[in-house]
Amino acid sequence: MVNSPAPSSNDVKTHHESVGAWAKRYYFANRAAIESVLRPYGIGTTQWYVLYQLANDGPTIQRDLGQLLHLERATLSGIVSTLVRKGHVEQVPGATDQRQRVLHLTKAGRKLWEGLPDPIAVIGATSLQDISEAELATAVRVLKAATQRLNDYMADGDRT
Amino acid sequence: MVNSPAPSSNDVKTHHESVGAWAKRYYFANRAAIESVLRPYGIGTTQWYVLYQLANDGPTIQRDLGQLLHLERATLSGIVSTLVRKGHVEQVPGATDQRQRVLHLTKAGRKLWEGLPDPIAVIGATSLQDISEAELATAVRVLKAATQRLNDYMADGDRT
DNA sequence: GTGAATTCGTTCGTTACCTAACAAATATCG
DNA sequence: CGATATTTGTTAGGTAACGAACGAATTCAC
């Protein structure tokens, strides 16, 4: 796309746009691919992550799950109620703290989980093969650093 | 970050998850930051891209705009009608082909555009400073290659 | 030149993300 | 103890993305 002459300072914006643009495209392509694997089972990508957590780490407080998956309370609330409606997850008030909701798989939920393919393995393997460990590490480092900056920026901006 | 022992096959999943996970987090952090810049003006990120196109390249057929911005017809349709509702954009049937819609800025839309900051410049500059050109290029290359793979995978899967 | 295929935009249903505002429960401080 | 703050989850409203199905316009084939 952007062929590579000596990058002038004018290229900065182009580069920036590229990382952002490609992060977006990769995110959505990845999501679409995962969803195509999961579609026959009637669950979405983020719903899968919730089931994954509950299946592997057992009952979890909704608040903690939100932090683990980097989701806002409101977002998780909707996803959980979808899973509850479908009968895969049960949501019970916490024993000591009545505000909290403890989530755990229902029997049906566990059964579903056991029949589920692992979309990360299926999709991830195809999408990243032939990319060296070093390149992967660089990509992650860049994405991580940039995300960090943005979060700092937002935190600052809020306080001002 | 990811220190580099001989990568066992168990690392594969971890790495894959990381690129996907970080692409997602960067995408949303970026979007949130851009939206915070644009919020006072009452427009969203993708709406800004539409205005950008119309301001710089003049009237455009909706179909072409979709390809430029990598958006499906259905997605763009909603975004355009939001901009039309707000009075920034006008959507007129094509002269030669009555199926097509030609989009152009209204007078109010152009005025808005002229008072708008450039969120890509503002946000991109902060988020990617101190990252070398080489690293940026690698990140883009990885994201691009992975996206390519996923698109191929989806195309194959559809035909099967 | 007419019937079939294609293209373009819209609408509908779904997923997933956010903020803001709110209610209930719990914690903290005077 | 009791008023005030904080935490947890939900709801409502907004943005953005997708696929499927549809109608209208156009193009293609024969």
Side-chain angles (χ1 to χ4, degrees):
Chain A
M1 207 111 289
V2 175
N3 40 20
S4 38
S8 77
S9 49
N10 265 350
D11 281 343
V12 174
K13 190 175 154 188
T14 309
H15 275 300
H16 289 188
E17 217 181 321
S18 285
V19 186
W22 283 105
K24 175 180 179 178
R25 290 184 68 180
Y26 177 59
Y27 166 63
F28 280 110
N30 203 226
R31 197 131 112 52
I34 292 176
E35 249 148 36
S36 80
V37 171
L38 256 19
R39 194 175 320 278
Y41 305 90
I43 58 168
T45 307
T46 308
Q47 293 169 39
W48 183 86
Y49 279 108
V50 170
L51 297 181
Y52 174 89
Q53 263 304 312
L54 298 182
N56 289 293
D57 289 11
T60 309
I61 293 166
Q62 193 163 321
R63 161 180 56 90
D64 295 342
L65 194 55
Q67 288 177 249
L68 278 165
L69 304 180
H70 300 287
L71 299 174
E72 292 301 313
R73 298 201 308 289
T75 304
L76 188 53
S77 185
I79 289 164
V80 166
S81 46
T82 302
L83 287 169
V84 167
R85 181 168 43 74
K86 289 176 182 165
H88 303 321
V89 166
E90 203 172 14
Q91 191 183 36
V92 298
T96 66
D97 189 333
Q98 297 288 119
R99 287 169 304 184
Q100 304 180 155
R101 301 289 131 119
V102 180
L103 306 175
H104 61 86
L105 291 182
T106 61
K107 209 171 292 179
R110 180 157 294 279
K111 192 151 193 183
L112 171 75
W113 177 254
E114 266 143 24
L116 235 44
D118 180 345
I120 305 289
V122 175
I123 299 305
T126 10
S127 79
L128 297 177
Q129 62 183 149
D130 293 352
I131 299 179
S132 76
E133 295 290 331
E135 287 179 305
L136 240 27
T138 301
V140 170
R141 190 153 30 80
V142 168
L143 258 12
K144 218 160 151 178
T147 303
Q148 184 66 55
R149 282 273 162 76
L150 290 174
N151 289 339
D152 292 351
Y153 169 86
M154 293 301 282
D156 269 17
D158 283 353
R159 247 182 286 287
T160 311
Chain B
M1 209 105 293
V2 174
N3 41 18
S4 37
S8 78
S9 46
N10 265 350
D11 282 342
V12 175
K13 193 175 152 189
T14 307
H15 275 301
H16 289 186
E17 218 181 318
S18 283
V19 186
W22 283 106
K24 176 180 178 178
R25 290 185 66 182
Y26 178 59
Y27 166 63
F28 280 110
N30 204 227
R31 198 131 110 51
I34 292 176
E35 250 149 36
S36 79
V37 171
L38 256 20
R39 195 177 320 280
Y41 305 90
I43 60 168
T45 306
T46 309
Q47 293 169 38
W48 182 86
Y49 279 107
V50 170
L51 296 181
Y52 174 90
Q53 262 305 312
L54 298 182
N56 288 292
D57 290 11
T60 309
I61 294 165
Q62 193 162 322
R63 161 179 58 89
D64 296 341
L65 193 55
Q67 287 175 251
L68 279 166
L69 304 181
H70 300 286
L71 298 175
E72 292 301 312
R73 298 203 304 292
T75 305
L76 188 53
S77 186
I79 289 162
V80 166
S81 44
T82 301
L83 287 169
V84 168
R85 181 168 42 75
K86 289 176 182 166
H88 304 320
V89 166
E90 202 172 16
Q91 190 184 38
V92 298
T96 66
D97 189 335
Q98 296 288 119
R99 291 168 303 182
Q100 304 180 156
R101 301 290 131 124
V102 180
L103 306 176
H104 62 86
L105 290 182
T106 60
K107 209 171 292 180
R110 178 156 296 279
K111 193 151 193 185
L112 172 75
W113 177 254
E114 266 144 25
L116 236 42
D118 180 345
I120 304 289
V122 175
I123 298 306
T126 12
S127 80
L128 298 178
Q129 64 182 148
D130 291 352
I131 299 178
S132 76
E133 295 292 332
E135 287 180 304
L136 241 26
T138 300
V140 170
R141 190 153 30 81
V142 168
L143 259 9
K144 217 161 152 177
T147 303
Q148 184 65 56
R149 283 272 164 75
L150 290 173
N151 289 338
D152 292 351
Y153 170 86
M154 294 299 284
D156 270 17
D158 283 354
R159 248 181 285 287
T160 311

